[in-house]
Amino acid sequence: VEPAEGARTFQVAGEAYDSFMGRYSGPLAHRFADAAGVAAGLDALDVGCGPGALTSVLVERLGAAHVRAVDPSPPFVEACRARHPGVDVRLGRAEEIPLADATVDLALAQLVLPFVSDPAAAAAEMRRVLRPGGVAGASAWDLDGGMRMLRLFWDAARAVDPASPGEGDRGRFGRPGELRALFVEAGLEDVQEHVLTTETTYRDLDELWSGLLAGIGSAGSHLVGLPPEHQLAIRAEMDLLLGRPQGPFTLTAAARCALGRTPR
Ligand SMILES: C[S@@+](CC[C@H](N)C(=O)[O-])C[C@H]1O[C@@H](n2cnc3c(N)ncnc32)[C@H](O)[C@@H]1O
């Protein structure tokens, strides 16, 4: 993904994000928090919080006073603040986290690093704000077809226009070992990678399509940049690939997740 574009496509209302991606990232956040060991008594930072899918889970488990959140998108910061009173939500980038050194026990970036301009700087910053022995975590959608909705979109886009980028050309950190290598490079210890899975059910193709038309992320921004007839051809191809569903259908989504500790 072109990183600057990645950040730019998130200047949308929280509700538009929810219907496109929050429907996946909400349930994914529970799995991510389980894997990272989020438990009462710890202080956590949600890096690239968006409207707050992971922030909600952190508040449930830790209490609002123990949760901080950062995102560079003003509408997302506003939505996250409104949804989570008492949480310290700041406008900021992962590459320059507006927090003092050694402030939190957990620094978690859910589905964020693919969009960050300088992921190595982001990993170093996550390490800096963690206390000794603290846990850094990052996740990204699988880019080998495990995120069915994105795969479906890029397969349809390529079927309509063979010159279109494919799923794998448009992202980072979605292949085995990529997130792990970033964390190891940042000096984190005991780094492990897992696969986390979730799913969502759509009423019909219109519901999925209207989420894409919000122009969010790589798929959405690619779609809204195309002429209307080209967009409709992609929609028809997606319908075909889905087997022309006549009612609700469920799509699974797999994310890669790396976890590492700061030295004690
Ligand atoms: C796919 S969304 C994930 C949002 C949220 N973590 C979730 O799980 O729903 C990607 C988020 O990364 C944020 N982002 C983009 N560039 C960033 C950067 N340089 N530093 C921190 N966050 C960034 C976007 O504003 C957006 O909220």
Side-chain angles (χ1 to χ4, degrees), residues 7 10 17 25 48-50 71-72 76 93-95 110-112 115-116:
F10 291 103
Y17 178 82
S25 64
C49 59
D71 198 281
F76 283 176
R93 298 160 65 234
E95 298 94 323
Q110 174 169 275
L111 308 174
V112 174
F115 301 101
V116 162

Side-chain angles (χ1 to χ4, degrees), residues 16-262:
Y17 178 82
D18 289 344
S19 62
F20 175 61
M21 195 49 78
R23 63 192 307 140
Y24 291 98
S25 64
L28 184 70
H30 291 276
R31 321 256 141 79
F32 190 30
D34 289 343
V38 177
L42 301 175
D43 292 306
L45 170 68
D46 185 352
V47 181
C49 59
L54 176 63
T55 315
S56 292
V57 176
L58 297 175
V59 168
E60 262 171 49
R61 297 190 187 192
L62 310 177
H66 297 280
V67 180
R68 294 172 167 89
V70 171
D71 198 281
S73 159
F76 283 176
V77 165
E78 204 177 297
C80 192
R81 271 192 194 132
R83 292 176 185 186
H84 306 100
V87 173
D88 177 354
V89 187
R90 300 187 188 178
L91 194 66
R93 298 160 65 234
E95 298 94 323
E96 222 173 325
I97 298 175
L99 276 191
D101 296 358
T103 314
V104 289
D105 306 296
L106 297 151
L108 305 176
Q110 174 169 275
L111 308 174
V112 174
L113 294 185
F115 301 101
V116 162
S117 308
D118 186 346
E125 277 290 273
M126 288 167 72
R127 178 178 165 179
R128 180 186 65 76
V129 301
L130 282 168
R131 295 176 179 137
V135 171
S139 64
W141 290 126
D142 174 77
L143 282 178
D144 285 330
M147 200 312 178
R148 289 264 292 120
M149 185 268 285
L150 295 178
R151 176 56 168 259
L152 192 67
F153 172 77
W154 291 114
D155 283 356
R158 194 165 259 184
V160 169
D161 175 7
S164 164
E167 179 188 42
D169 309 324
R170 301 286 299 195
R172 297 178 292 185
F173 300 120
R175 299 222 167 65
E178 286 181 322
L179 281 171
R180 186 177 185 284
L182 181 77
F183 273 9
V184 167
E185 196 61 28
L188 294 163
E189 298 179 343
D190 304 329
V191 182
Q192 301 193 7
E193 206 172 276
H194 312 266
V195 174
L196 309 175
T197 55
T198 186
E199 63 180 37
T200 193
T201 297
Y202 294 95
R203 256 192 329 273
D204 50 27
L205 181 58
D206 279 343
E207 190 180 21
L208 193 168
W209 187 247
S210 60
L212 278 164
L213 281 178
I216 298 166
S218 310
S221 67
H222 180 75
L223 179 66
V224 297
L226 297 172
E229 62 280 9
H230 197 142
Q231 293 181 358
L232 286 177
I234 292 178
R235 190 189 187 287
E237 186 65 27
M238 286 177 74
D239 195 28
L240 195 67
L241 291 172
L242 280 166
R244 298 197 192 284
Q246 297 303 307
F249 56 92
T250 297
L251 297 182
T252 53
R256 301 199 169 274
C257 154
L259 295 163
R261 275 190 189 280
T262 51

